[in-house]
Amino acid sequence: MYRMRHLSVTIALAAGWLGLGALQAHGQEPRLVGRVSDPVRVQIDLLLDSARAAGLPTEPLVDRALEGASKRAPGDRILLAVRRLVDELRTAHDALGPRSTGAEVTAGASALHAGAAPTDLSRLRTLRQPRSLTIAAAVLADLVAAGVPAETATEAVLALAVNAEDDLYLAFRRDVERDIALGAAPEAALALRLPGTAAEADLSATQQGAQRPRKP
């Protein structure tokens, strides 16, 4: 009994909040208390326990439940959304490998939700090795959210994977989103901003202009 109490205190101190750690040690997420119905909360707590046991990040699951609660979504829809995210996190973890970080798995799950395939994540992992792919996967999801078709966004992110650092990915996303906001079609904005594409287009236009016969 003493050992169990000592273990709970250790976990609580590591979490930085005694009350939070104690509740989580008993399988109850305190932030959900009073935000969702008790039956739904119990089911979500079970999903959180299952995710922890599988080595999956749980914070995105809590965030998803709280988001649904803030929007006053029905309990069954909140539970369905959390379950779907558990599946996406598990698939992302499997695709990225056991050494993937929680941030990478979370970003990978967002990319899957946006339309990427598990094989795309595995390929991205291979191309980015040994660098983190958190930003790259997040950019993929953001591009789809901005209106770029999932397949096109995936191809662009993979095309940049070998040489692009995180700051280039972020600048690429920013430029594409800005062009879309200014009225450009999403696919056109991506094609224009993809390194090499714009230069090749300019070169092609120049060559075509040089080949046109001059008017007398």
Side-chain angles (χ1 to χ4, degrees):
M1 184 68 175
Y2 172 77
R3 290 183 179 179
M4 290 300 294
R5 288 180 179 176
H6 180 70
L7 179 60
S8 296
V9 172
T10 302
I11 294 174
L13 291 176
W17 186 3
L18 181 59
L20 174 62
L23 286 170
Q24 288 180 331
H26 288 81
Q28 179 174 309
E29 171 51 58
R31 287 169 290 179
L32 297 179
V33 177
R35 300 296 304 276
V36 298
S37 67
D38 287 345
V40 170
R41 179 183 54 76
V42 169
Q43 291 299 313
I44 293 177
D45 285 336
L46 291 175
L47 290 172
L48 292 175
D49 288 342
S50 176
R52 291 189 191 98
L56 303 177
T58 58
E59 195 64 19
L61 301 173
V62 177
D63 289 342
R64 182 63 58 86
L66 291 174
E67 179 185 3
S70 67
K71 295 179 178 179
R72 300 184 182 278
D76 57 343
R77 289 185 58 186
I78 294 175
L79 189 56
L80 179 62
V82 174
R83 283 175 173 160
R84 183 182 297 119
L85 182 53
V86 170
D87 291 339
E88 291 168 344
L89 289 168
R90 183 177 289 111
T91 301
H93 185 271
D94 292 343
L96 296 176
R99 294 185 178 181
S100 54
T101 66
E104 288 178 324
V105 172
T106 301
S110 296
L112 291 174
H113 189 78
T119 52
D120 296 326
L121 293 183
S122 297
R123 186 180 175 196
L124 185 60
R125 162 61 78 202
T126 300
L127 294 174
R128 295 292 289 169
Q129 202 75 18
R131 294 167 293 179
S132 170
L133 51 76
T134 301
I135 296 298
V139 166
L140 193 162
D142 289 344
L143 290 173
V144 175
V148 179
E151 183 176 355
T152 304
T154 300
E155 291 175 354
V157 168
L158 289 174
L160 296 172
V162 175
N163 298 318
E165 299 299 333
D166 285 348
D167 57 349
L168 191 149
Y169 268 116
L170 294 173
F172 175 64
R173 179 190 63 187
R174 181 189 64 242
D175 291 340
V176 171
E177 290 177 341
R178 182 171 56 195
D179 290 345
I180 293 173
L182 292 174
E187 285 187 89
L190 183 143
L192 177 65
R193 294 298 181 176
L194 192 63
T197 304
E200 292 171 1
D202 290 341
L203 177 60
S204 176
T206 301
Q207 291 174 341
Q208 290 177 4
Q211 293 173 356
R212 293 192 187 114
R214 296 183 178 180
K215 295 183 179 179

